[in-house]
Amino acid sequence: MEAKIAIDDNLLQDALSVSGLQTKEELINEALREYIKVKKRKDLTELAGRIEFYQDFNHKKMRELNK
């Protein structure tokens, strides 16, 4: 889809320089992918008080089993 939008040139150049990408199109597509990934990530603070652990849960023992 093509869209004509106004983007701050300084912001665009800064983003291009840190991204290592070559084109504005690549940059915008990558930015949208990252935005979607961040928005889909569950905010762990929303889970506070909702997770119940087994009383005998031992995370150190679980690490030993996975070696």
Side-chain angles (χ1 to χ4, degrees), residues 6 11 13-14 19 22 24 46-48 58 60 62 65:
L11 187 61
Q13 289 305 316
D14 285 349
S19 72
Q22 300 297 315
K24 294 174 186 178
E46 292 177 12
L47 299 175
N58 184 338
K60 291 181 181 179
M62 294 296 292
L65 296 174

Side-chain angles (χ1 to χ4, degrees), residues 2-17:
E2 282 196 39
K4 187 173 183 176
I5 58 174
I7 301 175
D8 181 312
D9 286 330
N10 292 329
L11 187 61
L12 194 58
Q13 289 305 316
D14 285 349
L16 275 170
S17 69

Side-chain angles (χ1 to χ4, degrees), residues 11-60:
L11 187 61
L12 194 58
Q13 289 305 316
D14 285 349
L16 275 170
S17 69
V18 298
S19 72
L21 300 172
Q22 300 297 315
T23 67
K24 294 174 186 178
E25 182 178 352
E26 290 175 325
L27 177 67
I28 291 170
N29 286 327
E30 177 66 16
L32 288 171
R33 279 190 288 276
E34 288 297 316
Y35 179 79
I36 291 166
K37 190 178 357 176
V38 167
K39 288 296 186 178
K40 283 184 174 181
R41 193 173 300 143
K42 185 72 173 168
D43 183 4
L44 295 180
T45 60
E46 292 177 12
L47 299 175
R50 295 185 182 184
I51 299 174
E52 294 182 31
F53 294 99
Y54 295 108
Q55 293 296 324
D56 61 344
F57 180 76
N58 184 338
H59 69 282
K60 291 181 181 179

